[in-house]
Amino acid sequence: MFNSKSEVRKQILAARSGLTEVELSSKSDIICEKIINSGVFAGAGLVLCYMDFKNEVKTGGIIRGALSSGKRIGLPLVYKDGMDRRLLAYEIKDPDNDVRKGTLGILEPCSERLYKINAGEIDLVIVPGVAFDIHRQRVGYGAGLYDRFLQNLRPGCMKVAIAFDIQIMDMVPAETHDIKMDAIITETRMI
Ligand SMILES: Nc1ncnc2c1ncn2[C@@H]1O[C@H](COP(=O)(O)OP(=O)(O)OP(=O)(O)O)[C@@H](O)[C@H]1O
Ligand SMILES: [Mg+2]
């Protein structure tokens, strides 16, 4: 392997931080539309979607689209217990009032008064990440949070990553614990 994961993260995050607000918004709109118009989305009753921060693909369109078409929507929360960190999922009904700032300033569900979703209930996960490749391998931020969460999904639950074109590489470093995506959607491609 030519690049380590940390080199890949550095390189792609630098490129992504160079996108302007107009580029981020217009590309995110295209990506959200593609998700909302997909058969996988149409068939999903419960969607787990991340809340974007910094220059990630903006997910507001997906969350609003899911709620307005009567779907259940869950958001992840980083649960910390000593050294143990993992993702939990909670169902929200109101994207303005059911969230608050959590780890790193990312909006998280108000867990104490919301329904805790079991991983096995989810039909579609919208997965964030730093870098992806044409084999649908994924490099995230380096905590293994999504790798551990995604391994508990029911068989048949779809794992769809969304990313900008600049986040797609020919090949990213992959380890045995890295969970492959079922699809990756960018503003111009579907992988
Ligand atoms: N299924 C797993 N079980 C136990 N540990 C894991 C598992 N998946 C990942 N890890 C641990 O997490 C660490 C980080 O993994 P990795 O570099 O793949 O992160 P990442 O995919 O970038 O992060 P994330 O999934 O949070 O976006 C690894 O060193 C590994 O030890
Ligand atoms: Mg990984």
Side-chain angles (χ1 to χ4, degrees):
M1 198 60 61
F2 297 108
N3 294 304
S4 68
K5 281 183 175 177
S6 62
E7 286 167 342
V8 164
R9 289 185 188 108
K10 210 165 117 184
Q11 181 193 329
I12 300 292
L13 288 175
R16 196 173 68 179
S17 72
L19 293 173
T20 67
E21 196 51 47
V22 171
E23 287 171 324
L24 291 170
S25 294
S26 60
K27 293 177 200 293
S28 295
D29 285 348
I30 294 168
I31 294 165
C32 288
E33 280 296 306
K34 285 194 191 183
I35 292 288
I36 288 173
N37 293 325
S38 69
V40 168
F41 186 80
L46 174 51
V47 179
L48 183 76
C49 186
Y50 70 91
M51 280 293 222
D52 58 273
F53 88 116
K54 292 203 174 153
N55 282 16
E56 289 179 327
V57 176
K58 295 179 195 292
T59 55
I62 297 171
I63 294 168
R64 284 190 302 274
L67 288 169
S68 69
S69 52
K71 296 182 191 303
R72 296 171 67 199
I73 187 111
L75 297 179
L77 170 92
V78 181
Y79 171 80
K80 296 178 208 111
D81 180 18
M83 294 291 281
D84 177 31
R85 265 158 209 250
R86 58 200 147 99
L87 286 189
L88 300 178
Y90 289 88
E91 183 171 357
I92 64 150
K93 308 272 187 196
D94 176 347
D96 296 319
N97 294 306
D98 288 346
V99 299
R100 61 168 171 245
K101 276 193 181 173
T103 309
L104 301 174
I106 303 169
L107 291 172
E108 287 190 338
C110 300
S111 54
E112 66 286 345
R113 60 178 176 79
L114 297 174
Y115 173 73
K116 182 165 173 285
I117 295 168
N118 300 307
E121 292 180 84
I122 302 169
D123 301 307
L124 166 64
V125 182
I126 304 297
V127 185
V130 175
F132 300 89
D133 71 19
I134 52 176
H135 310 286
R136 294 194 233 102
Q137 289 287 353
R138 164 184 178 278
V139 171
Y141 290 96
L145 287 170
Y146 270 89
D147 286 316
R148 273 174 281 145
F149 183 80
L150 297 174
Q151 71 181 5
N152 296 323
L153 298 171
R154 68 170 174 81
C157 174
M158 294 294 283
K159 303 174 286 288
V160 177
I162 55 177
F164 301 115
D165 281 338
I166 54 158
Q167 295 174 257
I168 310 297
M169 307 179 80
D170 289 338
M171 194 167 174
V172 299
E175 298 169 87
T176 49
H177 67 254
D178 285 315
I179 305 277
K180 265 176 99 160
M181 300 296 104
D182 295 306
I184 304 163
I185 306 293
T186 78
E187 66 272 32
T188 67
R189 302 167 73 179
M190 167 157 174
I191 297 164

